[in-house]
């Protein structure tokens, strides 16, 4: 009791010393009006239902085939494009549907529930397009984003290199200005949609003497440009139908009009793009977690040991409860990050929290789903081993979980 009184006195003292604007944050909740609303509007519910139906009726039945063969899901992408589930954030000014970020994360979660390999192939377009959305001029947007609305084309984001993943500032790909063109040389690695893209966003060093904030320039590069070599399709642990390759650039000529923003702005543009895409990656992780939990629950209700379904054993039920807790928390953080984007505010902090938390939880949830399935979970005839393989990349791509924590600690 005495401790509580001491805390109250400390609070009253701090309140007197705090600026008036800060003190308003400590008003009793009963005296505040709230604008918080967790309900989705009719448009959001409609796009969510469209994506959910597509995932369950089209993606889930096809996912095992694409996982086993690695075949790129182009036919599925075409169907998704027809439904407006691809290129969701292209501005209306160039023919796009220009969905809100909130609607975008709803789509991402539902598609990922079906298969994150297929959803990653779809969502990679958003990553490739985002630099053009945030920094492209009217002509660039019309030329490169506009064509994405006319037919189901693909784009790719070329930043990672064999020796520069988390350390983007260590990238060696460079571009040198010669006359009215830039000459690009270097190698990129782990490029999603690398062998399927119509055009690339490429980050290249243009000033070796400058710090990372002004050393790089962003370019739009047509995929059919002479001097581009596309590497072999990588066979990865999970998300196997996603087209992941190395891309080499040898004396590739880029016209001046394909510079994004201005020379030296590339790093800032590339990082700003992540503010738009990390909420959707987090949403994908939530979708995978939801699928893993649903599969685990269904199995735990059927599988019996010691005379009752294993769902009734506390050891199993607590694992499922922890799955649910993390899914709800991850979903709320994803939507908070999306809300910040839709309000026109910088979302770096919330986007990194959403991506880190949801990505880590996806790995944990999928692992526990395998555990609940027991020996069957280790077998490829059951769905959860694929989910476990697919989940790991959420802790790696678009910034590792460790990099997200570094960003959070510095924001």
């Amino acid at each position: 009791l005495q401790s509580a009184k001491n805390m109250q006195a400390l609070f009253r003292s701090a309140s007197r010393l705090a600026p008036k604007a800060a003190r308003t944050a400590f008003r009793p909740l009963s005296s505040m009006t709230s604008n918080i609303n967790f309900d989705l509007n009719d448009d959001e519910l409609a796009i969510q239902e469209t994506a959910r139906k597509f995932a369950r009726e089209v993606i889930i039945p096809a996912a095992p085939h694409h996982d086993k063969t690695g075949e790129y899901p182009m036919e599925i992408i075409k169907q998704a494009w027809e439904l407006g589930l691809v290129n969701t954030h292209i501005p209306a000014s160039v023919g796009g549907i220009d969905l809100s970020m909130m609607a975008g994360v709803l789509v991402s979660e539902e598609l990922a529930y079906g298969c994150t390999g297929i959803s990653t192939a779809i969502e990679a377009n958003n990553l490739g397009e985002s630099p053009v959305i945030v920094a492209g001029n009217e002509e660039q947007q019309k030329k490169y984003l506009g064509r994405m609305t006319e037919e189901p084309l693909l784009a790719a984001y070329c930043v990672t290199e064999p020796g520069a993943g988390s350390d983007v500032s260590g990238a060696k790909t460079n571009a040198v200005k010669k006359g009215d063109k830039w000459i690009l040389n270097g190698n990129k690695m782990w490029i999603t949609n690398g062998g399927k893209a119509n055009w690339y966003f490429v980050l290249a060093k243009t000033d070796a003497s400058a710090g990372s904030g002004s050393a790089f320039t962003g370019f739009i590069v047509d995929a059919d440009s002479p001097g581009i070599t596309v590497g072999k399709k990588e066979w990865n642990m999970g998300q196997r139908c996603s087209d992941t390759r190395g891309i080499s650039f040898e004396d590739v000529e880029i016209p001046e009009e394909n510079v994004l923003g201005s020379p030296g702005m590339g790093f800032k543009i590339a990082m700003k793009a992540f503010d738009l895409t990390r909420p959707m990656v987090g949403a994908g992780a939530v979708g995978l977690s939801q699928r893993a939990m649903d599969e685990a629950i269904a199995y735990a209700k059927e599988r019996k040991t010691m005379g009752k379904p294993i769902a009734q054993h506390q050891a199993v039920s607590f694992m499922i409860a922890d799955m649910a807790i993390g899914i709800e928390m991850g979903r709320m953080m994803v939507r908070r990050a999306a809300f910040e984007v839709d309000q026109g505010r910088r979302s770096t902090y919330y986007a990194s929290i959403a991506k880190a938390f949801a990505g880590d939880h996806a790995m944990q949830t999928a692992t526990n789903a395998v555990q609940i399935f027991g020996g069957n979970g280790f077998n490829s005839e059951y769905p959860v081993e694929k989910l476990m393989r697919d989940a790991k990349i959420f802790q790696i791509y678009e910034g590792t979980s460790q990099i997200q924590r570094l960003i959070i600690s510095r924001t």
Side-chain angles (χ1 to χ4, degrees):
L1 181 60
Q2 185 60 43
S3 175
K5 289 181 178 179
N6 290 341
M7 288 298 294
Q8 290 172 357
L10 180 62
F11 176 77
R12 286 194 295 270
S13 176
S15 295
R16 287 194 297 271
L17 294 174
K20 181 179 179 180
R23 291 202 300 271
T24 61
F26 298 102
R27 289 180 296 166
L29 291 177
S30 59
S31 69
M32 297 182 182
T33 58
S34 174
N35 292 320
I36 295 176
N37 182 0
F38 292 102
D39 291 331
L40 300 176
N41 63 40
D42 290 344
D43 289 341
E44 290 164 345
L45 288 171
I47 192 69
Q48 181 186 50
E49 180 56 30
T50 298
R52 180 172 295 169
K53 188 172 186 290
F54 184 76
R56 284 154 176 75
E57 295 182 1
V58 178
I59 294 179
I60 289 178
H65 166 78
H66 288 280
D67 178 60
K68 289 181 173 66
T69 65
E71 179 186 336
Y72 192 74
M74 194 63 221
E75 290 305 313
I76 294 175
I77 292 172
K78 288 178 180 178
Q79 293 179 59
W81 183 85
E82 292 284 352
L83 290 172
L85 301 176
V86 186
N87 309 318
T88 52
H89 302 296
I90 290 180
S93 60
V94 292
I97 58 176
D98 201 9
L99 288 185
S100 67
M101 183 58 64
M102 186 65 73
V105 299
L106 297 175
V107 170
S108 295
E109 179 180 335
E110 297 300 335
L111 296 182
Y113 185 97
C115 172
T116 58
I118 293 172
S119 68
T120 291
I122 292 171
E123 298 291 351
N125 262 19
N126 288 324
L127 179 58
E129 293 160 356
S130 288
V132 184
I133 291 173
V134 302
N137 59 39
E138 183 178 346
E139 288 304 313
Q140 289 169 338
Q141 291 192 355
K142 183 177 179 180
K143 181 178 180 180
Y144 287 98
L145 299 181
R147 69 176 65 168
M148 311 298 281
T149 71
E150 296 168 356
E151 58 180 308
L153 300 174
L154 300 161
Y157 181 92
C158 297
V159 172
T160 300
E161 298 187 2
S166 296
D167 181 18
V168 176
S169 63
K172 303 298 184 185
T173 297
N174 68 87
V176 178
K177 183 72 178 293
K178 290 188 177 180
D180 60 350
K181 291 182 172 59
W182 292 80
I183 308 301
L184 177 69
N185 284 280
N187 300 289
K188 298 296 183 178
M189 190 59 195
W190 309 118
I191 307 305
T192 305
N193 284 351
K196 306 295 182 178
N198 179 264
W199 55 270
Y200 307 116
F201 165 75
V202 180
L203 187 70
K205 185 167 287 186
T206 51
D207 186 348
S209 63
S212 60
S214 55
F216 295 91
T217 298
F219 298 93
I220 305 170
V221 182
D222 289 294
D224 61 358
S225 300
I228 294 178
T229 302
V230 177
K232 68 179 180 67
K233 173 183 164 61
E234 300 294 333
W235 187 254
N236 295 323
M237 174 193 293
Q239 300 194 3
R240 288 175 172 169
C241 68
S242 172
D243 187 77
T244 308
R245 301 173 187 256
I247 309 292
S248 297
F249 303 92
E250 184 176 355
D251 293 333
V252 176
E253 294 186 357
I254 308 170
E256 177 67 25
E257 62 263 27
N258 280 26
V259 172
L260 272 177
S262 59
M265 294 296 294
F267 184 84
K268 295 181 177 68
I269 292 169
M271 296 303 104
K272 190 173 181 180
F274 283 140
D275 287 352
L276 303 182
T277 60
R278 281 175 177 156
M280 291 188 287
V281 173
V286 171
L288 185 147
S289 294
Q290 184 71 57
R291 173 74 182 282
M293 184 178 74
D294 288 352
E295 296 286 357
I297 290 172
Y299 184 83
K301 287 179 177 179
E302 295 179 359
R303 172 71 168 163
K304 292 182 179 180
T305 63
M306 304 168 197
K308 59 184 177 181
I310 63 173
Q312 294 179 19
H313 294 299
Q314 188 181 80
V316 174
S317 66
F318 277 18
M319 291 171 72
I320 293 172
D322 284 339
M323 292 178 183
I325 290 168
I327 289 168
E328 295 297 341
M329 292 174 66
R331 183 176 287 127
M332 287 298 101
M333 276 313 309
V334 164
R335 294 185 184 182
R336 175 59 192 272
F339 174 78
E340 292 298 313
V341 173
D342 288 337
Q343 296 304 305
R345 296 193 288 255
R346 184 184 178 194
S347 65
T348 305
Y349 175 75
Y350 295 106
S352 288
I353 291 176
K355 200 272 183 185
F357 182 87
D360 288 347
H361 189 65
M363 190 68 234
Q364 186 64 56
T365 300
T367 301
N368 284 344
V370 171
Q371 191 70 20
I372 289 171
F373 271 69
N376 289 337
F378 198 65
N379 187 279
S380 61
E381 293 301 312
Y382 291 81
V384 289
E385 66 87 24
K386 174 184 181 297
L387 296 177
M388 184 175 174
R389 288 187 286 104
D390 288 348
K392 184 59 192 174
I393 194 64
F394 283 105
Q395 295 179 303
I396 299 172
Y397 63 8
E398 289 207 33
T400 65
S401 293
Q402 291 71 34
I403 286 294
Q404 303 311 316
R405 286 167 170 80
L406 186 64
I407 293 169
I408 293 162
S409 69
R410 293 179 176 179
T411 303

